[in-house]
Structure formats: C-alpha cells, structure tokens
Amino acid sequence: MRTQRYRAIADELAAAIRAGTLAPGTRLPTHRDLARDRGVALATAGKVYAELSAAGLVAGEPGRGMFVRDQSGYGGLDTRRLPLGTRVADLSFNQPLAAHQGNQLRQALRDLAAVGSLDALLAQQPPGGRERDRAAVATYLLSHQIDVPPANVLITGGAQHGLDVALSAITSPGQVVAVDTLTYPGIKLVAATRHIELAAIHCYASGSDLDDLEALCNQRRVSAIYLMPTVHNPLGSVITASDRDRVVAIARKRDCVILEDGTYAFLDPRAPQPLQARAPERTVYTAGLSKNVATGLRFGFLVAPDHLIPAITRALRASSWGTPGLVAALATRWLRDGTVADLETDRRADARRRQTIAAHELTAPGLDYTSHPTAYSGWLRLPAEARSDHVAHLLANEGILVSTADAFAVTPHPPNALRLALANIDESRLAATLRRIREVVLQATHEPDEIRFRLGSDIVTDHGWGKAGR
C-alpha cells in the first residue's frame, strides 16, 4: 500500500511537471511538508523525491530544497543544439579561430606539397608518432616549463584522445580517480565509458581543496588524481606553487598517478611550474592544439614517465593504431616555425579583451561573475531565484546557447551557475550578447514569487511551493 501511495504521488507530480503545471524552477515542499500535506510517512516522501530525481524531473540542493528541473534539454552535459539558422550566439563551447588562419592553412598545405615526400605522409605512422614529430613537441614544451626527451612524448588525436588513452593505461574498471567537484566534462564521459569511479574533492575560485584531497586519499585507494592546475575549466583558477608541491607530496605518499590537463595552460605563461616538472616520475601531462590553434586540428600529445610509456603505447595502438601523418606534419610545422607561439600570444590578448568586456557587462547586484583575466570562459553564479536550467532555456529561445553547471559537476547537486564561453562570438557582438544574458537572468530573478496550481483535488499554495529561492 505504501509503495502504491508513493508511486501515485510521484506520478501525479511527474505529470504536473511534464504538463508545465509545475513550472521549471518551482521549489517543491520539503520532505516534511510533503509528508504532512499528503498524510504519508517521511520515508514515503523521500521515495517520491528519489523517484522524481531518478527521472531527471527534479534536482535537490542541500539546505535549499527540491526544485523542478527544466525539461527543454538546454542544460546539462548533452545539451540540445540550436540549428545554425536560429543560433544568434554560441557561448557553450570555445572554438577560437582568427580571421587569418584560413590563409595560414592554405599556405601551409602548399608548402607541404612542395617540400619533401608526400608518400611518407600517406604511410602508416607508428603509435605515438614519428621521432621527428615527437621532437617538435618536446622543443615546443620547453617554453611551457616542461623539459623531456622526445621518447617521453606521445602524439595523440587531440587532448581528449590523450585523456582517454592515459586513463585506459593507468586505471582499471572500478578504480577511483580524484577530480574536482567541478571539472572538465570530457573526463566524465571517459570515466563513464571505462567504468571508472570519479571521487569529488571540493574546489573553489582559488583552486582545489587539498585538505579534502588528502582526506580522500587517506580513506580510499585512489589510483590517479586529475587536475587542471593552470586555468581551470570552468573556474579559471591557477593553483599556487606551494599547493602544487603539496599535490605532489600527497601523490607520492599514496603512490597515485597525477594526470595533469594543460589544455588551457598556454593562457597563463606566468603560472607556476607544471606538476609534470615537479613530479616527472608519476605525472602524465596531456594537452593539444585545439584551443591555441584550431579545434578542427585534432592534434594532441601526452608526456609520460618511462615506466608508463609501454602501457600508453599499447592503448594508443588499440584506439587508433597510428597517428594521422598529414595532421602531424601540419601541426609540427607550425610548432617549429613559430606559428603556434604567435597564435598563443594573439589568443591571450584576445581573451583579455573579452574578459574586460564580460566583467563590465556582468557586473550587477545579484550576479557573481569570476574568471581568469586571460581565460576564454567565465563562471556566472546566479541568484537563487533564477534557476540555471530555466535561464539556459530562456536564452536558447533567443538563440543564445550557454552551459549550465550540470555539465561540469561530479556531485549530484551542481551549483546554480553558468559557464560562459567567450571565444566563438565576434568581439563586436560580445557586449550586447552578455548584456542580454544579464537582462534575462535578472528578469528570471524577479518573476512573480507565488505560484498557484491544482494537483488532484488540492489547491496548493505556500508550504514552500513557490518559485526558486522564495
């Protein structure tokens, strides 16, 4: 009878949510209020909300309550995409590209065709790349405070491929990898595919909570620690030199592999020495040319210690057999002739201008925007009344795509925030787009508090059944 009762209540609420009677962002009663209003046990009320949570219809926030989730599909990791014809601005992904890069590619392809043997580029490449290509990456890395021989560099089909290969080589299904509570969505995809458990450690605008990391490593067998110490995605934080030393000390004490993601590290050349340089014997470093050159150039690399090279090479062979010769030739040519270094300088200047615009447009009472001064994204914490998934839906209706915190959250209760990617939109339109985002957020914040609706035979008001943050 109890089972039938909780399912009946859950089905009733689910129907109201799907019909729109319970609007996105509506704050539902507390467990205790629901139990009292429906005349059921507190445990039954808990089962109702567990059922709705599992169905993706509601989301809970500790200390604030349970809220109706937006069902439009514009929030979370696998978001709906707007057709190009209706897309005004895409601030959900960073795909920086300078106007002159098409001409650079055209000239580079001409040069490749005119010099050397094209037949060699059509031949099978070894897993991890040719020696000369590895050497080009090793030389490039010297300017990023990483000094390794070419033998410790392995070329991949982009940083995401490198991350997948590294986790395949250093972990087994069921093992634990420590990550920040907010982290790069790509590692969530890899972990789910490879059945790896991600254990969350708290993180803040200043960096990872290393007390939390140490406590986790003391309590559980952690196989690897995944961090973005320089220009964290999505928070933009840079871990201090002393905290980097502490990460290394924890990893050595507990014999963990450090997986360092340097995808955005080029944006802060003054950052402290990478973790790889501090602990080369246990750090696997991954990065690529997606953000500093072009996302379509699927060229990345791993830096690994000697004892992990065989396992990573096997994983590379299993995933792609060999590296694409033409892409490697093009990428390493740009590494050698200074094109990549020049583009990185341009990207930093471009990102700084965009962050200046963002800081100006997103300064308003109730908004909390933080970023690295030369990052290509920023973190916008929303007022409690404006639910991030609902705001994402409202913006999508106007042709503006953003990412909600769900995409980056490892824990069940993501913060009420948006990640705004600033690289894609033309700089001349950025201010107006950010201004519109600010307006939509503030409008959502000041929507009428009280919502009245009928569920079954009951008119429901009060008891917390109001808009978010009431």
Short mmCIF file of all heavy atoms in Angstrom, two decimals, residues 122-150:
data_model
loop_
_atom_site.label_atom_id
_atom_site.label_comp_id
_atom_site.label_asym_id
_atom_site.label_seq_id
_atom_site.Cartn_x
_atom_site.Cartn_y
_atom_site.Cartn_z
N LEU A 122 51.42 9.48 -46.33
CA LEU A 122 50.33 8.54 -46.57
C LEU A 122 50.62 7.17 -45.98
O LEU A 122 49.74 6.31 -45.93
CB LEU A 122 50.08 8.41 -48.08
CG LEU A 122 49.62 9.70 -48.78
CD1 LEU A 122 49.50 9.46 -50.28
CD2 LEU A 122 48.30 10.19 -48.21
N ALA A 123 51.85 6.97 -45.55
CA ALA A 123 52.23 5.68 -44.96
C ALA A 123 51.74 5.58 -43.52
O ALA A 123 51.46 6.59 -42.87
CB ALA A 123 53.75 5.52 -45.01
N GLN A 124 51.66 4.35 -43.03
CA GLN A 124 51.26 4.13 -41.64
C GLN A 124 52.26 4.75 -40.68
O GLN A 124 53.47 4.54 -40.80
CB GLN A 124 51.17 2.62 -41.37
CG GLN A 124 50.84 2.24 -39.94
CD GLN A 124 49.42 2.62 -39.57
OE1 GLN A 124 48.48 2.28 -40.26
NE2 GLN A 124 49.26 3.35 -38.48
N GLN A 125 51.75 5.54 -39.73
CA GLN A 125 52.61 6.17 -38.73
C GLN A 125 52.63 5.30 -37.48
O GLN A 125 51.65 4.63 -37.15
CB GLN A 125 52.08 7.56 -38.38
CG GLN A 125 51.88 8.47 -39.57
CD GLN A 125 53.17 8.84 -40.26
OE1 GLN A 125 54.09 9.35 -39.64
NE2 GLN A 125 53.25 8.59 -41.56
N PRO A 126 53.72 5.29 -36.73
CA PRO A 126 53.77 4.47 -35.51
C PRO A 126 52.89 5.04 -34.41
O PRO A 126 52.63 6.25 -34.38
CB PRO A 126 55.25 4.55 -35.12
CG PRO A 126 55.73 5.84 -35.69
CD PRO A 126 54.98 6.01 -36.98
N PRO A 127 52.39 4.20 -33.51
CA PRO A 127 51.61 4.72 -32.38
C PRO A 127 52.47 5.66 -31.53
O PRO A 127 53.60 5.33 -31.18
CB PRO A 127 51.21 3.47 -31.60
CG PRO A 127 52.20 2.43 -32.02
CD PRO A 127 52.56 2.74 -33.43
N GLY A 128 51.95 6.85 -31.26
CA GLY A 128 52.74 7.84 -30.53
C GLY A 128 53.48 8.80 -31.42
O GLY A 128 54.01 9.80 -30.93
N GLY A 129 53.51 8.52 -32.73
CA GLY A 129 54.11 9.46 -33.66
C GLY A 129 55.55 9.17 -34.04
O GLY A 129 56.26 8.41 -33.36
N ARG A 130 56.00 9.81 -35.12
CA ARG A 130 57.38 9.67 -35.57
C ARG A 130 58.33 10.42 -34.64
O ARG A 130 57.92 11.38 -33.97
CB ARG A 130 57.53 10.20 -37.00
CG ARG A 130 56.71 9.45 -38.04
CD ARG A 130 56.89 10.06 -39.42
NE ARG A 130 56.46 11.46 -39.45
CZ ARG A 130 56.61 12.25 -40.50
NH1 ARG A 130 57.20 11.80 -41.60
NH2 ARG A 130 56.18 13.50 -40.46
N GLU A 131 59.57 10.02 -34.64
CA GLU A 131 60.57 10.63 -33.76
C GLU A 131 60.68 12.13 -34.00
O GLU A 131 60.74 12.92 -33.05
CB GLU A 131 61.93 9.96 -33.99
CG GLU A 131 63.08 10.52 -33.15
CD GLU A 131 62.98 10.16 -31.67
OE1 GLU A 131 62.23 9.23 -31.33
OE2 GLU A 131 63.66 10.82 -30.87
N ARG A 132 60.68 12.55 -35.26
CA ARG A 132 60.85 13.98 -35.56
C ARG A 132 59.64 14.79 -35.08
O ARG A 132 59.76 15.94 -34.67
CB ARG A 132 61.11 14.20 -37.04
CG ARG A 132 59.94 13.86 -37.97
CD ARG A 132 60.37 13.90 -39.44
NE ARG A 132 61.05 15.13 -39.78
CZ ARG A 132 60.44 16.24 -40.21
NH1 ARG A 132 59.11 16.25 -40.31
NH2 ARG A 132 61.12 17.30 -40.53
N ASP A 133 58.46 14.21 -35.13
CA ASP A 133 57.27 14.90 -34.67
C ASP A 133 57.26 15.01 -33.14
O ASP A 133 56.89 16.04 -32.57
CB ASP A 133 56.01 14.18 -35.15
CG ASP A 133 55.87 14.22 -36.66
OD1 ASP A 133 56.43 15.13 -37.28
OD2 ASP A 133 55.21 13.32 -37.22
N ARG A 134 57.70 13.95 -32.47
CA ARG A 134 57.81 13.98 -31.01
C ARG A 134 58.84 15.03 -30.59
O ARG A 134 58.66 15.74 -29.59
CB ARG A 134 58.22 12.62 -30.48
CG ARG A 134 57.14 11.54 -30.61
CD ARG A 134 57.75 10.18 -30.34
NE ARG A 134 56.83 9.26 -29.73
CZ ARG A 134 57.15 8.06 -29.29
NH1 ARG A 134 58.41 7.63 -29.37
NH2 ARG A 134 56.24 7.28 -28.74
N ALA A 135 59.92 15.13 -31.37
CA ALA A 135 60.96 16.11 -31.06
C ALA A 135 60.42 17.53 -31.19
O ALA A 135 60.77 18.42 -30.39
CB ALA A 135 62.16 15.90 -31.97
N ALA A 136 59.57 17.77 -32.18
CA ALA A 136 58.99 19.11 -32.35
C ALA A 136 58.14 19.48 -31.14
O ALA A 136 58.18 20.62 -30.66
CB ALA A 136 58.15 19.15 -33.62
N VAL A 137 57.35 18.52 -30.62
CA VAL A 137 56.54 18.78 -29.44
C VAL A 137 57.42 19.01 -28.22
O VAL A 137 57.17 19.93 -27.42
CB VAL A 137 55.56 17.62 -29.20
CG1 VAL A 137 54.80 17.83 -27.88
CG2 VAL A 137 54.57 17.49 -30.35
N ALA A 138 58.46 18.19 -28.07
CA ALA A 138 59.35 18.34 -26.92
C ALA A 138 60.01 19.72 -26.91
O ALA A 138 60.14 20.36 -25.85
CB ALA A 138 60.41 17.25 -26.94
N THR A 139 60.41 20.20 -28.08
CA THR A 139 61.01 21.54 -28.17
C THR A 139 59.99 22.62 -27.82
O THR A 139 60.30 23.57 -27.09
CB THR A 139 61.56 21.78 -29.58
OG1 THR A 139 62.54 20.78 -29.89
CG2 THR A 139 62.19 23.16 -29.70
N TYR A 140 58.78 22.47 -28.32
CA TYR A 140 57.71 23.43 -28.01
C TYR A 140 57.44 23.48 -26.50
O TYR A 140 57.24 24.55 -25.93
CB TYR A 140 56.45 23.03 -28.77
CG TYR A 140 55.15 23.56 -28.21
CD1 TYR A 140 54.76 24.88 -28.43
CD2 TYR A 140 54.31 22.74 -27.45
CE1 TYR A 140 53.57 25.37 -27.92
CE2 TYR A 140 53.12 23.22 -26.94
CZ TYR A 140 52.75 24.52 -27.17
OH TYR A 140 51.57 24.99 -26.66
N LEU A 141 57.47 22.32 -25.85
CA LEU A 141 57.14 22.25 -24.42
C LEU A 141 58.19 22.94 -23.54
O LEU A 141 57.89 23.29 -22.40
CB LEU A 141 56.98 20.80 -23.99
CG LEU A 141 55.68 20.13 -24.46
CD1 LEU A 141 55.72 18.63 -24.18
CD2 LEU A 141 54.47 20.76 -23.78
N LEU A 142 59.38 23.15 -24.07
CA LEU A 142 60.40 23.85 -23.28
C LEU A 142 59.93 25.24 -22.88
O LEU A 142 60.22 25.72 -21.78
CB LEU A 142 61.70 23.95 -24.10
CG LEU A 142 62.49 22.65 -24.27
CD1 LEU A 142 63.64 22.87 -25.25
CD2 LEU A 142 63.02 22.17 -22.92
N SER A 143 59.16 25.89 -23.77
CA SER A 143 58.65 27.23 -23.46
C SER A 143 57.49 27.19 -22.48
O SER A 143 57.03 28.23 -22.01
CB SER A 143 58.20 27.94 -24.75
OG SER A 143 57.14 27.24 -25.36
N HIS A 144 57.02 25.97 -22.16
CA HIS A 144 55.94 25.79 -21.18
C HIS A 144 56.45 25.09 -19.92
O HIS A 144 55.69 24.43 -19.22
CB HIS A 144 54.79 25.01 -21.82
CG HIS A 144 54.10 25.76 -22.92
ND1 HIS A 144 52.92 26.45 -22.72
CD2 HIS A 144 54.44 25.96 -24.22
CE1 HIS A 144 52.56 27.04 -23.85
NE2 HIS A 144 53.46 26.76 -24.78
N GLN A 145 57.74 25.22 -19.67
CA GLN A 145 58.40 24.75 -18.45
C GLN A 145 58.40 23.23 -18.31
O GLN A 145 58.45 22.69 -17.21
CB GLN A 145 57.76 25.38 -17.21
CG GLN A 145 57.73 26.90 -17.22
CD GLN A 145 57.16 27.46 -15.92
OE1 GLN A 145 57.80 27.40 -14.87
NE2 GLN A 145 55.96 28.02 -15.98
N ILE A 146 58.35 22.52 -19.43
CA ILE A 146 58.43 21.06 -19.42
C ILE A 146 59.62 20.65 -20.28
O ILE A 146 59.69 20.98 -21.46
CB ILE A 146 57.14 20.42 -19.96
CG1 ILE A 146 55.97 20.71 -19.00
CG2 ILE A 146 57.29 18.92 -20.14
CD1 ILE A 146 54.63 20.21 -19.48
N ASP A 147 60.56 19.95 -19.66
CA ASP A 147 61.81 19.58 -20.33
C ASP A 147 61.93 18.05 -20.32
O ASP A 147 62.27 17.45 -19.30
CB ASP A 147 63.00 20.22 -19.61
CG ASP A 147 64.32 19.99 -20.34
OD1 ASP A 147 64.32 19.29 -21.37
OD2 ASP A 147 65.35 20.51 -19.87
N VAL A 148 61.58 17.44 -21.45
CA VAL A 148 61.65 15.98 -21.56
C VAL A 148 62.24 15.60 -22.92
O VAL A 148 62.12 16.36 -23.89
CB VAL A 148 60.25 15.33 -21.43
CG1 VAL A 148 59.71 15.49 -20.02
CG2 VAL A 148 59.27 15.88 -22.46
N PRO A 149 62.84 14.43 -23.03
CA PRO A 149 63.32 13.97 -24.33
C PRO A 149 62.14 13.53 -25.20
O PRO A 149 61.05 13.22 -24.68
CB PRO A 149 64.22 12.78 -23.98
CG PRO A 149 63.71 12.29 -22.66
CD PRO A 149 63.22 13.50 -21.94
N PRO A 150 62.32 13.50 -26.52
CA PRO A 150 61.24 13.08 -27.41
C PRO A 150 60.66 11.71 -27.08
O PRO A 150 59.47 11.47 -27.32
CB PRO A 150 61.91 13.07 -28.79
CG PRO A 150 63.02 14.07 -28.68
CD PRO A 150 63.52 13.94 -27.27
#
